[in-house]
Amino acid sequence: MSYSYDDNNIFAKILRGEIPNDTVAESEHSLAFRDISPKAPTHVLVIPKGKYVSFDDFAANASDAEITDFMRLCAKVAKAEGVALDEGNGFRAITNAGNDGVQEVPHFHLHILGGRNIGPMLLMRE
Ligand code: 5GP
């Protein structure tokens, strides 16, 4: 997979303020906002502000500061949404990458899903 970044992807437009979003939390290097088509009572997307296409791009190429900031914001979101394990009932964190991962938006994002039992990890398909 190529790491060439498409500046016209929808999350790039959200980061530039060209498209509105329902922000849940923000940090120096990351943004968390509600998915426009939620699949669970809590469905938040956490994205880095930097131009990273996918999880592997982010994991390989982001700075330590960006990675730490991203992970801490994920924890903050889980807690704020009441799904973190200290007080809540749990959640699932998913990231899709590339064609086989069925990634729609080519800007790295982590889905945080909770508020109900999320079901089996994968729906098997032929
Ligand atoms: P992917 O399939 O790339 O992992 O997930 C992309 C997610 O982005 C989908 O869950 C989809 O509902 C969400 N999404 C697509 N366009 C928008 C948008 O304009 N705003 C928000 N908040 N979410 C979006």
Side-chain angles (χ1 to χ4, degrees):
M1 156 176 195
S2 160
Y3 286 152
S4 71
Y5 182 83
D6 173 10
D7 276 308
N8 287 318
N9 81 75
I10 202 95
F11 295 167
K13 291 179 181 177
I14 285 176
L15 284 167
R16 290 197 296 267
E18 295 166 10
I19 290 178
N21 74 91
D22 188 355
T23 296
V24 170
E26 185 169 5
S27 56
E28 183 180 0
H29 298 296
S30 313
L31 180 69
F33 54 92
R34 295 196 189 284
D35 195 292
I36 203 166
S37 178
K39 307 295 187 296
T42 287
H43 189 171
V44 176
L45 303 173
V46 186
I47 69 174
K49 292 180 179 174
K51 296 180 180 184
Y52 301 102
V53 173
S54 59
F55 173 79
D56 49 326
D57 183 14
F58 183 71
N61 299 316
S63 67
D64 291 358
E66 288 174 302
I67 292 171
T68 301
D69 177 282
F70 181 87
M71 297 301 281
R72 297 280 192 250
L73 195 66
C74 290
K76 193 174 164 185
V77 167
K79 196 169 180 60
E81 291 293 307
V83 298
L85 293 191
D86 54 353
E87 290 170 10
N89 218 27
F91 60 93
R92 183 166 298 154
I94 301 172
T95 182
N96 301 315
N99 291 332
D100 283 358
V102 195
Q103 179 180 7
E104 284 173 35
V105 180
H107 180 112
F108 168 50
H109 50 282
L110 193 79
H111 299 253
I112 296 179
L113 296 143
R116 68 167 171 82
N117 186 299
I118 300 301
M121 187 169 77
L122 291 175
L123 192 59
M124 297 310 288
R125 205 164 60 178
E126 291 301 317

